[in-house]
Amino acid sequence: MKVLIVGCGRVGAGLAMTLSARCHDVNIVDKDPLAFERLGGDFKGRTFTGIGFDREILLCMDIERADALAAVTASDEANIVAARIAKDIFHVPRVVARLYDNRQAEIYQRLGLQTIAPTGWGINRMADLLLYSPLDAVFTVGSGGVEIVEAVAPYLLVGKVVRDLTVTGEILVAAITRENKTFIPTLGTILQEDDLLHMVVLTSSSTRLREILDL
């Protein structure tokens, strides 16, 4: 995948190195050229000096072919502007913006922007949000400690019950969409093929959920 990163602070640099190590094509931009010193010697991507929401800079970074963009500067305003440009103008499939002011999170999520709070998550979690996955986070609650995620019931779970997916205090199946109808299941509801599961999950339990779903 081609991933663009706006901001080469601690998070941006860590994300760039993580994705580069996973063999993704990473381009990163920062207004301070010294910021790129945070990138390790194994970083194989490209660096750009400039403003991350400047159209010409984004074009130089090949945004028209980008699969994902992460805006992780120290400024909420800069992150949201970069994210909206990526999503609304260049139609980048996956866009994530770091957001310090959680009071604005709901507003931006209504615009279709995935926002991440600076607490309750890590670089690997942000990498997971950027990369395509059968487990899709659709909403982050509060400070980022709880997420609403969706996934199609894996074949191996068909015939099992909701109780088999439930982990008290960590993972809850809140609703199921089946044949274009959504309902609230009981613990005994049997999972069927093509069920879309809507789950409430602690961010820290995302790995455990993937293990249960065998993703």
Side-chain angles (χ1 to χ4, degrees), residues 23-72:
C23 299
H24 294 286
D25 181 4
V26 181
N27 290 344
I28 186 168
V29 60
D30 198 285
K31 62 183 179 181
D32 180 6
L34 296 179
F36 302 125
E37 294 179 0
R38 296 186 176 94
L39 298 171
D42 293 333
F43 179 65
K44 300 179 177 62
R46 299 171 63 197
T47 60
F48 297 80
T49 302
I51 303 300
F53 51 81
D54 181 272
R55 179 184 175 88
E56 295 305 316
I57 290 290
L58 291 171
L59 287 171
C60 288
M61 295 174 70
D62 207 12
I63 192 172
E64 293 175 309
R65 295 177 55 243
D67 298 299
L69 179 142
V72 290

Side-chain angles (χ1 to χ4, degrees), residues 134-197:
L135 186 63
D136 193 17
V138 297
F139 193 80
T140 301
V141 180
S143 64
V146 176
E147 291 180 333
I148 309 297
V149 302
E150 294 180 347
V152 176
Y155 177 77
L156 292 177
L157 288 180
V158 172
K160 294 192 175 182
V161 296
V162 168
R163 183 181 293 105
D164 296 324
L165 284 174
T166 303
V167 179
T168 303
E170 296 183 45
I171 301 169
L172 170 69
V173 180
I176 295 175
T177 297
R178 178 181 296 166
E179 297 179 350
N180 296 320
K181 294 182 179 180
T182 302
F183 62 95
I184 297 175
T186 67
L187 290 176
T189 297
I190 299 174
L191 301 177
Q192 297 184 14
E193 186 174 359
D194 295 327
D195 276 355
L196 178 62
L197 310 176

